[in-house]
Amino acid sequence: MRVPRSRLLAALVLTPLLTACFASQGEGTTPSSGGKNGSRLRVALAFPPAENLSPYGADATLLSRLGVTEGLTALDANGAAAPALAASWRREDDRSWLFTLREATFQDGTEVTPSAVAAALTHATEAKPAPAALSGVTLTAKARGGTGVRVTTADPDPVLPLRLASPSLAVLSPKAYGDKGRVDPVGTATGPFELTKVTGSTAATLDRYDDYWGGLAHASGVDARFIADGTARANALRTGQVDVAEAIPVAQAATLDKGTHRETATTRTTSLLLNSTSGPFKDPALRAAARAAVDPAALAQGVYEHHADPGVGIYGPAVTWAEGKRSKPASRARAAKADGTSLTLATYDNRPELPEVAQVLKQQLEKAGFAVKLEVREYSRLESDALAGKFDAFVGARNSLLDAGDPVALLASDYTCDGGYNLALLCEKGVDRAVAEAAKAADPGKRQDAAMTAEAAILGTGAVVPLVHQRVITGVGTSVRGVLLDPYERTLVGAGTRR
C-alpha cells in the first residue's frame, strides 16, 4: 500500500537527513518547500551503464548519484555511518548487529519490511561477482519482529554500519529480483526519484517518488544523459542543454561562465596498476623500473593544471588521517633495465584527463626503455578485459572510500587474491595477511594504523603506482540549487536539488 497522506504530510515538516550531509549549491536544500509541479532536472553523467544498471557493480553508484537507491545506512560529511532506511542500530555482540527500520515504502508501493530488507541483503551476498563492499565478508540477514533486521557476520566486523552504506548494498523491493541473479531497479527502489525508463546506455528518465519517506522532492523528475566525452558534457552545460554536469575536464573548466563550476576535494586516487600475474610485469624488477620512470608531480602540474595533488599513496590528502600514519613501503625490488620490453597500457576516456595521463605515462615509460602500445576505450567496453588481465598496465581512477566507507574494504577488494576488483591481479601472501590483520581491528585508530601498514605492503610490491589524488569539477547551472557535492562521490542529486 501507498503511505497515507497524513504520514506524508508529517514527513514534509522534517528536514531530510541526506540532503544536508554534503556541501550544496545555495540555501534551502530541504524539500519541505518542494512544490508538486517542480521543474525537471537535466543531468549529464560521465559513465554509461556498464552492467545493465545492476545494483552490485559500478552501476550502483549511478543509481545512488541520481537519488534512486538507498541502503540501511549512509555516510555523513565526516565519513561516519548515518541513518537511512535504518533509523537506528546497535551492536548485540562481536558478530551481530540489530538495525531498526524507519517507516518507508518501495517505489512499487509495497512496505519496506524486515523480511524484504533481509531478502535484499541476501541477494547481494549471492551476487556473482560479489559486491566490492562484501569482499572478504560473509554475512547473513534475518527479520526480527516488525521493525528489526539482524545482520550477522562470520567474523567480527566492527565497521558493518559503514559497509551497509555502500551503493552496492542498496535495498530493493522483492519484485526487483528475478531469475539467474537478474535485478531490475526500475520502480523498485526507495529514493526520492524513481527510475521509469532506461534508453540503452544513452539516457534514463526518472520521476519524483511522491511517497518518499524523506519528503517530497523539489524537482518533479530527472532526465539523465550519459555522455562519456568530457568536452561534450561541458558544452551541454554551457549551451543550457543540461543543468548539472559531472566530471568537467580541467581544460574545460576555464571556458565555463563564472559561478557555473565547483571544485570538490575527493578521496579518489588515479593510479597505474601493473599486471603482476602475466606479461612483463610479472617480474618485480620490471615493475620497479616502471615505478621509477613515473613522475607524479609532472602529471599533477601538467595534465591536471594543479587541480590534483601528486600521488603519495592509496589514500590521499582528503583522507585526513592518512598522512600522519603513512609508513615506508615494506620492500621494493631493484629496478631492472627495460631494454625495449613491450607492453600494452590501457585506460578509459569517461574521465577526460585519463587518456592524457596515459599519453604522458607512455612517454615517461618509453624514455625509460619500454615499448608502449596505448589503448583507450569507453569504460564499459574496457572493464571486463582489464579484470581478465588482458592488459599489461592500466590507468584507473578509484575512490578509496566509495565501496564501504572503510579504508580496509578497498584494500580487500582491489589488492587481495580474492578481491573482486583487483585490476593489478595482485596475489601475494604478505599483502593478504596485512589486509586480514587490518580487518580484525575494531578500534578506529588502530584500524587506520593497520590499513596504512597494509598500504605499505601493497606499494612495496610495485604493482600499484599512485599518480595523483583528484579534485573533481562539477558543472552547475546558475539557477540550480541543492546539488550534493560529495567527497565520496556517492550522491549528486537529492530531494533538495532544484532549479
Side-chain angles (χ1 to χ4, degrees):
M1 295 178 60
R2 293 279 181 175
V3 175
R5 284 291 148 186
S6 59
R7 186 192 302 171
L8 176 59
L9 292 173
L12 296 184
V13 304
L14 300 176
T15 299
L17 173 76
L18 301 182
T19 55
C21 282
F22 306 106
S24 57
Q25 284 300 306
E27 300 298 328
T29 60
T30 66
S32 57
S33 59
K36 188 71 175 175
N37 299 313
S39 300
R40 295 184 67 84
L41 291 165
R42 300 164 300 167
V43 179
L45 299 180
F47 289 85
E51 300 152 335
N52 298 314
L53 286 177
S54 166
Y56 299 137
D59 290 357
T61 307
L62 294 179
L63 297 170
S64 174
R65 287 174 70 75
L66 288 171
V68 176
T69 55
E70 301 172 304
L72 285 179
T73 60
L75 287 187
D76 68 13
N78 297 316
L85 291 177
S88 63
W89 56 87
R90 60 183 174 87
R91 194 172 189 179
E92 296 180 310
D93 55 48
D94 63 348
R95 296 191 303 113
S96 294
W97 299 71
L98 184 64
F99 293 83
T100 300
L101 303 181
R102 69 171 71 251
E103 290 187 354
T105 60
F106 293 107
Q107 293 161 352
D108 60 15
T110 60
E111 298 285 339
V112 175
T113 63
S115 60
V117 172
L121 292 176
T122 299
H123 283 296
T125 67
E126 296 169 347
K128 302 296 182 185
L134 294 181
S135 182
V137 176
T138 300
L139 66 78
T140 57
K142 295 183 178 180
R144 283 294 177 267
T147 61
V149 178
R150 176 172 291 129
V151 181
T152 303
T153 55
D155 298 307
D157 187 8
V159 296
L160 184 67
L162 285 177
R163 194 180 303 283
L164 293 177
S166 169
S168 63
L169 297 181
V171 175
L172 302 178
S173 81
K175 294 180 182 178
Y177 304 97
D179 297 332
K180 298 181 180 179
R182 179 179 171 274
V183 186
D184 185 3
V186 175
T188 60
T190 62
F193 296 106
E194 176 182 352
L195 187 64
T196 58
K197 181 181 178 181
V198 180
T199 307
S201 60
T202 61
T205 302
L206 302 88
D207 292 335
R208 175 168 54 199
Y209 178 48
D210 289 348
D211 289 339
Y212 177 52
W213 63 265
L216 196 66
H218 279 288
S220 60
V222 179
D223 297 312
R225 295 167 57 189
F226 303 109
I227 305 175
D229 182 78
T231 300
R233 286 195 304 280
N235 286 338
L237 181 77
R238 185 184 299 110
T239 58
Q241 298 176 54
V242 300
D243 305 304
V244 180
E246 70 172 2
I248 295 295
V250 167
Q252 294 293 318
T255 70
L256 297 178
D257 291 340
K258 184 178 180 180
T260 62
H261 56 88
R262 299 291 182 272
E263 184 171 298
T264 309
T266 74
T267 54
R268 181 172 296 277
T269 295
T270 296
S271 299
L272 173 64
L273 303 162
L274 305 178
N275 183 343
S276 58
T277 296
S278 62
F281 293 124
K282 186 176 181 179
D283 182 355
L286 284 176
R287 297 201 296 266
R291 180 190 58 79
V294 172
D295 182 0
L299 296 171
Q301 296 168 13
V303 177
Y304 288 90
E305 301 178 17
H306 299 281
H307 292 284
D309 300 297
V312 294
I314 294 170
Y315 312 105
V319 184
T320 54
W321 50 262
E323 185 57 35
K325 296 174 179 285
R326 180 163 282 119
S327 55
K328 186 176 181 180
S331 63
R332 294 189 187 274
R334 187 171 182 176
K337 291 185 177 180
D339 287 335
T341 298
S342 297
L343 63 95
T344 300
L345 173 64
T347 194
Y348 47 96
D349 55 11
N350 305 74
R351 295 193 178 275
E353 291 80 20
L354 293 188
E356 188 177 351
V357 168
Q359 185 61 48
V360 174
L361 285 177
K362 180 177 185 292
Q363 297 169 2
Q364 293 178 349
L365 291 167
E366 288 177 339
K367 185 177 181 180
F370 290 95
V372 183
K373 176 185 176 182
L374 183 59
E375 187 160 343
V376 179
R377 302 181 201 164
E378 193 270 326
Y379 183 80
S380 65
R381 298 176 51 246
L382 189 76
E383 182 186 66
S384 60
D385 283 349
L387 288 169
K390 294 185 178 181
F391 308 118
D392 300 310
F394 185 86
V395 178
R398 184 79 160 126
N399 192 315
S400 61
L401 296 179
L402 175 65
D403 292 321
D406 168 39
V408 181
L410 173 89
L411 305 183
S413 68
D414 288 24
Y415 307 115
T416 64
C417 296
D418 295 328
Y421 197 69
N422 188 348
L423 293 172
L425 281 74
L426 184 62
C427 186
E428 294 205 2
K429 292 181 179 179
V431 168
D432 278 21
R433 281 196 300 268
V435 173
E437 285 300 312
K440 295 177 184 178
D443 176 79
K446 292 180 179 178
R447 194 174 183 86
Q448 293 168 0
D449 292 340
M452 299 310 293
T453 298
E455 181 198 66
I458 292 164
L459 296 180
T461 69
V464 183
V465 184
L467 301 175
V468 295
H469 304 295
Q470 290 184 237
R471 306 167 207 155
V472 296
I473 301 172
T474 305
V476 182
T478 55
S479 65
V480 178
R481 299 292 184 270
V483 174
L484 303 178
L485 303 178
D486 176 5
Y488 310 107
E489 300 181 88
R490 295 179 174 199
T491 57
L492 180 66
V493 174
T497 313
R498 70 190 189 281
R499 69 180 178 93

